[in-house]
Amino acid sequence: MKSADIRENFLRYFQSNGHTIVRASSLLTSSDDPTLLFVNSGMVQFKDVFTGREKRPYTRATTAQKSLRAGGKHNDLENVGYTARHHTFFEMLGNFSFGDYFKRDAIRFAWQLLTEVYGLPKEKLWATVYVDDDEAYDLWTNEIGVPAERCVRIGDKPGQPKYVSDNFWQMADTGPCGPCSEIFYDHGSDVEGGPPGSPDAEGDRYIEVWNLVFMQFDRDVAGVLTPLPRPCVDTGMGLERLAAVLQHVHSNYDIDLFQNLIKAAARETQTVALDSNSLKVIADHIRACSFLIADGVIPGNEGRGYVLRRIIRRALRHGYQLGQTKPFFHQLVKDVVAEMGAAYPELMEQQSRIESVLKQEEERFGETLENGMKILDAALGQMKSGDAPMLDGETVFLLYDTYGFPVDLTGDICRERGVAIDHAGFGDAMERQRGQARAAARFKTGGSYEYAGDKTRFTGYSSLVEDAKVVALYQAGTSVQRLDQGVEGIVVLNTTPFYSESGGQVGDEGVLEAINDGHVVRFNVADTQKIQADVFGHHGTL
């Protein structure tokens, strides 16, 4: 069964059981939710419904939610490409009950879908419940018929307070919480690993495919649990994991969706060996980048923009490792659209913009990637056999500041060669540079930054031509009302497509044109530099 069919069958099954199909929310969490950088599960868009702050016209919902784990504490980036089931972007299939049905129906729906719709053998499925959840245990063993030896009670983690368990879920330190029941698939005795709850549970034989969360209690600041008047259900099943089970493969990267993207990455990098970890990284990262840009994120040096930049540059480095030194990553967007555009129409709608943003970022980083790799290779090559395998912080900082290498990208390369990086030394170098920047907060021309206007709106990832308004002029380091012809100066605009030097990338050159008394006035931009944080100065001559 293809991944697209698995997704469609899931949604249609729950629709036939009274659920409203709700379109996936944006990957970007709302501005009033400081707890997450990106949506990382299906329940995020329903948080206010679960807590009672929002009402919806339905009490049963189902979604295929695009999700991302590549920033903050929910960060799988460094594992992507090296394990069977870690991804930056993934799809979470889920069904939800807002005070409607509870454990009996949630368990029945899950069992019926897995065994009757998807056709999984019943004897291959295991269930876990929280140690005190007798209700769920009885439902699994007595009503569903799972043998007692395949229904495992999971207790609290050793040395932890009560309810700190893999089978007890909580939204936060206080608020809705409750036990959960996980469903596992047994790949068979030829795969290493023990059943859930055993010392060997981390092996690959028994794979969790579905988590059913029963929001049953409200926890107060004292840790006291009070039964909720209208218990809710929140379930989550990773599409990629389920596809691996249904397609009889052990790695998510072997499912049809990923195999098609891996072949596309091999096509663009001219790689023959399809089992390359670098191809897996590229295939994973093109999905994450495409969806992030479609949802409005552009590469930058802060927050979400920096997460996107890190993912792009990690993919480009793996392309470089495969021998591809020319822009290639943006060519894979059409393959993502072919695989997922029907389910997520925003990909088709934004395809050209996604390609443009990625191509520009590729071209900018391509200018420094090769030189940065030479610096890094030389530093690693100079290490003596008796040395502690650690790259010094000064080199890590040089790569970051001059060549635009995110620290985790340098760490990625070093880890492949068995070398650690000196994070403390990097931090010292970073702080020293900040101090120098504060002390030298001056124009290249020697003047002080005297600007109190608004930040510059950067549009260079979507357009190379822009109408703008002049908001400040500087000549010889001093704010002026006009520039003299033939004299160097700085122009600040309210909006600009010019990229400002940052992260090892050079500032853009170009032309500013205006009409004055019927004549065309031309300002030739030789460089673009920030005169303040988020204020772009166009250096040039009138």
Side-chain angles (χ1 to χ4, degrees):
M1 188 181 296
K2 292 184 177 181
S3 298
D5 297 326
I6 295 170
R7 183 194 303 113
E8 183 68 14
N9 287 342
F10 183 93
L11 297 174
R12 296 307 170 198
Y13 170 80
F14 280 104
Q15 184 183 50
S16 70
N17 282 282
H19 294 64
T20 297
I21 298 177
V22 179
R23 182 173 176 174
S25 70
S26 165
L27 283 171
L28 312 187
T29 53
S30 62
S31 58
D32 59 354
D33 184 355
T35 63
L36 286 174
L37 194 61
F38 300 106
V39 167
N40 64 359
S41 68
M43 66 81 60
V44 173
Q45 71 162 306
F46 300 117
K47 282 178 70 172
D48 287 346
V49 183
F50 283 124
T51 58
R53 291 194 294 266
E54 179 186 350
K55 298 294 183 183
R56 300 267 180 114
Y58 45 78
T59 57
R60 299 182 177 195
T62 185
T63 63
Q65 176 61 48
K66 49 190 179 182
S67 306
L68 194 86
R69 288 182 180 165
K73 67 178 182 178
H74 302 286
N75 185 7
D76 289 339
L77 185 59
E78 69 177 23
N79 295 314
V80 171
Y82 299 95
T83 69
R85 283 171 287 279
H86 278 103
H87 304 292
T88 51
F89 176 92
F90 59 98
E91 292 182 76
M92 189 63 79
L93 305 174
N95 59 289
F96 308 89
S97 166
F98 311 116
D100 190 323
Y101 61 85
F102 200 43
K103 294 180 185 180
R104 173 173 279 106
D105 283 337
I107 291 173
R108 178 176 60 84
F109 286 147
W111 187 257
Q112 185 179 58
L113 178 60
L114 290 176
T115 61
E116 297 181 20
V117 177
Y118 291 135
L120 290 178
K122 296 179 180 180
E123 64 274 13
K124 288 277 194 178
L125 298 177
W126 288 57
T128 65
V129 300
Y130 183 61
V131 63
D132 293 342
D133 194 355
D134 295 333
E135 180 184 2
Y137 184 86
D138 289 342
L139 288 168
W140 279 116
T141 57
N142 295 329
E143 294 196 16
I144 299 300
V146 173
E149 63 270 20
R150 295 211 315 271
C151 188
V152 183
R153 293 179 183 265
I154 303 293
D156 301 317
K157 294 182 178 180
Q160 296 293 320
K162 188 168 180 58
Y163 304 122
V164 178
S165 168
D166 288 336
N167 277 70
F168 197 92
W169 180 91
Q170 56 189 35
M171 187 179 295
D173 292 337
T174 60
C177 60
C180 60
S181 188
E182 298 178 330
I183 303 173
F184 289 76
Y185 179 81
D186 179 4
H187 276 293
S189 58
D190 59 328
V191 180
E192 292 186 1
S198 73
D200 299 323
E202 294 302 314
D204 283 341
R205 176 174 174 177
Y206 298 86
I207 299 300
E208 178 202 337
V209 292
W210 208 342
N211 188 16
L212 316 179
V213 176
F214 308 123
M215 290 191 220
Q216 191 170 351
F217 304 106
D218 182 40
R219 184 202 300 267
D220 64 20
V221 292
V224 177
L225 303 187
T226 304
L228 290 170
R230 299 180 65 208
C232 300
V233 172
D234 156 30
T235 87
M237 177 162 57
L239 172 64
E240 296 82 2
R241 285 192 175 207
L242 179 59
V245 169
L246 293 176
Q247 294 175 16
H248 308 291
V249 294
H250 293 303
S251 170
N252 292 0
Y253 291 98
D254 289 332
I255 67 174
D256 63 313
L257 192 158
F258 268 113
Q259 280 297 294
N260 291 337
L261 293 178
I262 286 171
K263 290 173 183 175
R267 178 194 72 219
E268 295 300 331
T269 58
Q270 300 176 12
T271 302
V272 176
L274 294 181
D275 60 349
S276 164
N277 284 339
S278 289
L279 291 180
K280 295 175 185 176
V281 171
I282 293 168
D284 172 275
H285 288 8
I286 190 60
R287 295 208 305 169
C289 295
S290 296
F291 276 93
L292 281 172
I293 296 169
D295 280 344
V297 181
I298 61 173
N301 290 326
E302 296 179 349
R304 292 167 173 147
Y306 190 57
V307 172
L308 174 58
R309 173 162 285 168
R310 287 165 53 203
I311 298 173
I312 295 172
R313 294 188 174 185
R314 189 170 187 262
L316 299 184
R317 199 279 296 188
H318 279 277
Y320 181 89
Q321 184 168 298
L322 294 172
Q324 180 54 276
T325 59
K326 297 179 180 179
F328 74 95
F329 196 48
H330 67 283
Q331 299 282 10
L332 299 174
V333 175
K334 59 180 178 293
D335 299 284
V336 177
V337 172
E339 291 296 323
M340 307 182 71
Y344 300 97
E346 62 267 29
L347 290 175
M348 286 189 277
E349 296 165 1
Q350 297 281 339
Q351 180 176 345
S352 61
R353 179 174 174 273
I354 298 168
E355 291 171 341
S356 175
V357 170
L358 289 178
K359 185 177 181 182
Q360 290 185 54
E361 185 71 5
E362 283 191 85
E363 291 171 345
R364 286 183 172 127
F365 187 49
E367 296 172 2
T368 59
L369 174 59
E370 184 174 0
N371 291 331
M373 286 301 300
K374 289 178 181 178
I375 297 291
L376 180 55
D377 286 338
L380 295 175
Q382 290 172 1
M383 288 186 175
K384 299 178 181 179
S385 57
D387 292 343
M390 178 175 289
L391 183 67
D392 64 281
E394 291 292 338
T395 300
V396 177
F397 178 75
L398 173 67
L399 291 167
Y400 169 83
D401 186 54
T402 305
Y403 298 99
F405 277 45
V407 177
D408 54 1
L409 173 57
T410 301
D412 219 20
I413 299 168
C414 289
R415 187 171 61 253
E416 292 172 359
R417 307 186 192 186
V419 176
I421 64 174
D422 180 9
H423 286 281
F426 169 79
D428 291 341
M430 175 70 84
E431 187 55 39
R432 184 172 65 250
Q433 189 231 37
R434 287 172 178 161
Q436 292 170 348
R438 287 191 291 267
R442 303 204 171 261
F443 285 110
K444 286 183 174 180
T445 52
S448 300
Y449 291 106
E450 298 176 359
Y451 177 82
D454 293 332
K455 296 177 180 179
T456 307
R457 186 172 69 91
F458 175 64
T459 62
Y461 285 114
S462 58
S463 174
L464 297 179
V465 179
E466 192 69 62
D467 290 327
K469 178 182 178 182
V470 175
V471 295
L473 298 171
Y474 298 91
Q475 188 169 299
T478 303
S479 177
V480 295
Q481 294 300 310
R482 55 170 290 159
L483 292 177
D484 297 324
Q485 186 173 356
V487 177
E488 291 186 355
I490 298 173
V491 178
V492 178
L493 305 173
N494 65 332
T495 299
T496 184
F498 285 72
Y499 184 85
S500 175
E501 180 177 317
S502 181
Q505 310 304 300
V506 298
D508 279 344
E509 302 175 8
V511 176
L512 306 180
E513 290 186 343
I515 303 296
N516 184 24
D517 293 331
H519 299 286
V520 176
V521 178
R522 179 184 294 260
F523 182 86
N524 294 313
V525 179
D527 192 10
T528 308
Q529 299 274 338
K530 290 182 180 178
I531 67 168
Q532 289 181 8
D534 299 318
V535 180
F536 291 31
H538 305 78
H539 295 247
T541 306
L542 186 66

